[in-house]
Amino acid sequence: MTLSALRVLLALAVTIHVLLTKRDTAAAIGWIGMAALMPVLGSILYLMFGINRVKRLARKLVRQRGAPGSAPATRWQKSVEGRFAPLASMVGKLTSRSLVGGNNIEMLHDGDEAYPAMLDAIQRANTSVLLCSYIFRADRVGGLFIDALIDANNRGVAVRVLVDGVGAGYFSCPTARRLRRAGVPCGRFMHSLLPWSMPFINLRNHRKSLIIDGVLGFIGGLNIGDENMVADCPRDPVSDTHFRVRGPIVRQLAAAFAWDWTFTEGEDLAGPTYFPDIDASGTDLMRIVTAGPDTDLEKIEFVMLQAMTLARSSIRLMTPYFLPGTRLSTELCLAALRGVTVDIVIPQRSNHVVMDWACRADIHPVLDAGCRVWSAPPPFNHSKLLVVDREWSFVGSSNLDMRSLRLNFEINLETYNAEFSQRVDDFIVGHCDRRVTHHDLDKRNYLTKLRDSGARLLSPYL
């Protein structure tokens, strides 16, 4: 009798908490069903994986420090005229960040171009170096970054390094160990050996950024490791795209890092060391957009949806994994049905075979609506790019899958510069190698289709 009563109480407690906290109906029904069928095991799993403790802490930080996008605005505030004015207005309200001008942006390809520029910037740093990376290997390339960071710290530069608690190594993180031994502050985001801290699956910091002296920034999809040096022909090469930015936008990039650093280490980064006055370096209008399962929930997805709604001629996107969920998939279909050219570029083969299986089961709707899906030839391309009408672009760390859009902490950059957007658009078009058709999907045998459809059910967790 006592055990039965305990099972009922556990199931009831989970049900009440789910009803009060879960917005997603399917997830709510799933957790309630699990608790009802397996009260003890279901309650343990919900305690480990179902409760978003990050949002609670993030709200506490907002009360103490203000929203992460509330860094002082620069004097470069301009309005966007034309069709994208509603987008600019919406994103400003959504993110609490100003659209700032006076910026310059350069596209860098692979580690071959990006790493030398990043290392040179670290070596030239005078006041501060802020580095965030999901993966930071302690291999040959990683060793070059570790040595440069240690040298900067030794000459009096304020260095802060943030790596993900899983991506950079869960059981062992040689990078963090070497940096800490040399006196370089290095935080491991959401790292804990306690299972209820959800270290294995959810809430990863997938952001990649580097800020030098508060005036020069790098942002994109590039991790730190030998595999990104494509010209060196590593065993499993990863091609990627990174961006170097100058101008007032760097202040927003630094503010995003400072928020993550405070969340992880409890140290506030403030003052001219990290946030100096910044002069104009160009004419580009830009804004940082962050997303994560905290106060920024789904903001990158909302920006994409609004931009696609405004498309009149073309939408081109490049992503390493295409599992967008119902909302983005529907918007892409609607755009294609109203006559917009929609090109989706995915790798011929990614570095996650189960993601590839799930993707093949997920692209039927967009093909049915008239979207064109292309497979890019090897090496595996890890770029995350979106361009609308060759006038507006959105680049950064966010993949087009439900994990990136709703579970990971991501950072993207929107630009209202036609010249830059055309360069990114041309880059995407250049990777449209082989078109994926209905015939390609239909010729799979029954067991392969069954496997791919089964993998699709795992898409929220891949």
Side-chain angles (χ1 to χ4, degrees):
M1 180 67 70
T2 303
L3 182 59
S4 297
L6 177 62
R7 290 164 60 91
V8 171
L9 287 175
L10 286 173
L12 183 61
V14 170
T15 299
I16 293 173
H17 193 274
V18 168
L19 291 174
L20 293 176
T21 61
K22 295 296 178 188
R23 292 171 50 195
D24 185 88
T25 304
I29 292 173
W31 283 118
I32 292 173
M34 181 180 293
L37 295 172
M38 302 179 295
V40 177
L41 179 59
S43 298
I44 292 173
L45 291 174
Y46 183 70
L47 179 66
M48 292 169 59
F49 303 112
I51 300 175
N52 188 346
R53 297 171 179 82
V54 174
K55 184 180 291 186
R56 196 181 312 159
L57 178 56
R59 286 173 177 167
K60 180 179 178 182
L61 289 176
V62 168
R63 289 194 298 268
Q64 293 173 348
R65 304 177 61 229
S70 62
T74 71
R75 62 188 178 91
W76 296 95
Q77 298 187 41
K78 299 180 181 179
S79 61
V80 175
E81 298 179 357
R83 288 189 298 104
F84 289 100
L87 176 63
S89 176
M90 185 279 289
V91 180
K93 295 175 183 177
L94 181 71
T95 65
S96 299
R97 292 186 176 95
S98 301
L99 185 64
V100 295
N103 305 293
N104 173 263
I105 184 168
E106 302 170 74
M107 185 160 56
L108 304 172
H109 301 294
D110 307 329
D112 305 81
E113 284 188 7
Y115 289 158
M118 295 166 70
L119 287 167
D120 180 68
I122 294 172
Q123 291 161 2
R124 293 174 180 270
N126 294 314
T127 58
S128 63
V129 173
L130 308 177
L131 173 62
C132 179
S133 187
Y134 175 67
I135 295 173
F136 191 156
R137 304 195 193 282
D139 51 18
R140 185 188 67 82
V141 164
L144 295 176
F145 277 88
I146 291 170
D147 291 342
L149 292 165
I150 292 173
D151 287 344
N153 187 70
N154 289 341
R155 65 175 184 266
V157 175
V159 179
R160 300 292 186 273
V161 180
L162 184 62
V163 297
D164 184 70
V166 172
Y170 177 68
F171 293 105
S172 175
C173 183
T175 296
R177 186 166 59 249
R178 286 182 58 184
L179 289 171
R180 288 171 177 173
R181 283 177 179 173
V184 178
C186 180
R188 299 176 70 184
F189 186 89
M190 287 289 290
H191 180 265
S192 173
L193 295 175
L194 302 175
W196 49 83
S197 294
M198 300 176 288
F200 288 103
I201 299 176
N202 296 332
L203 313 179
R204 305 309 344 142
N205 191 323
H206 197 241
R207 297 168 181 170
K208 296 98 177 174
S209 62
L210 172 64
I211 303 99
I212 305 296
D213 296 340
V215 298
L216 173 64
F218 295 83
I219 183 175
L222 191 66
N223 290 298
I224 297 176
D226 286 348
E227 65 271 20
N228 296 107
M229 295 294 292
V230 177
D232 291 349
C233 299
R235 180 177 178 180
D236 296 303
V238 178
S239 186
D240 215 324
T241 311
H242 224 51
F243 301 88
R244 177 167 48 195
V245 293
R246 294 181 175 88
I249 191 64
V250 178
R251 191 180 187 93
Q252 290 187 4
L253 190 59
F257 178 94
W259 175 262
D260 288 346
W261 183 260
T262 301
F263 180 90
T264 305
E265 295 296 303
E267 178 192 12
D268 286 335
L269 303 181
T273 299
Y274 307 103
F275 300 99
D277 294 331
I278 306 176
D279 295 327
S281 294
T283 59
D284 296 350
L285 287 167
M286 300 179 184
R287 177 166 32 216
I288 292 294
V289 181
T290 53
D294 53 3
T295 55
D296 285 338
L297 184 66
E298 299 176 331
K299 289 183 179 179
I300 284 179
E301 182 178 9
F302 291 159
V303 173
M304 291 181 175
L305 287 168
Q306 180 65 26
M308 291 174 183
T309 300
L310 296 174
R312 294 296 176 265
S313 59
S314 65
I315 297 173
R316 291 195 176 90
L317 62 90
M318 189 170 186
T319 179
Y321 320 109
F322 184 73
L323 293 166
T326 303
R327 291 189 299 205
L328 276 171
S329 180
T330 300
E331 189 54 55
L332 288 168
C333 292
L334 291 174
L337 290 171
R338 69 174 182 265
V340 175
T341 299
V342 179
D343 288 308
I344 303 165
V345 181
I346 56 178
Q348 188 179 101
R349 184 179 294 106
S350 78
N351 59 344
H352 292 295
V353 64
V354 180
M355 296 283 278
D356 294 339
W357 296 344
C359 176
R360 286 196 289 265
D362 211 38
I363 61 177
H364 259 297
V366 294
L367 290 178
D368 291 341
C371 300
R372 302 187 300 193
V373 179
W374 306 85
S375 64
F380 164 55
N381 202 300
H382 193 245
S383 301
K384 309 98 165 36
L385 312 169
L386 169 64
V387 182
V388 175
D389 292 350
R390 292 174 64 85
E391 294 182 28
W392 178 88
S393 53
F394 202 41
V395 302
S397 68
S398 181
N399 301 317
L400 213 66
D401 59 58
M402 283 182 277
R403 169 161 295 282
S404 270
L405 296 173
R406 299 177 191 177
L407 294 178
N408 285 346
F409 292 82
E410 306 283 358
I411 185 166
N412 277 22
L413 174 71
E414 64 160 349
T415 66
Y416 294 78
N417 179 285
E419 183 180 350
F420 171 75
S421 297
Q422 288 164 16
R423 290 200 301 272
V424 179
D425 196 73
D426 291 341
F427 177 83
I428 297 174
V429 170
H431 285 78
C432 295
D433 180 59
R434 179 181 174 277
R435 189 167 177 180
V436 180
T437 65
H438 285 92
H439 175 70
D440 296 317
L441 301 179
D442 293 340
K443 71 181 182 182
R444 295 172 298 162
N445 61 50
Y446 178 78
L447 289 178
T448 301
K449 292 179 181 179
L450 188 63
R451 177 202 65 191
D452 294 348
S453 297
R456 181 178 178 272
L457 298 179
L458 301 173
S459 58
Y461 308 101
L462 292 175

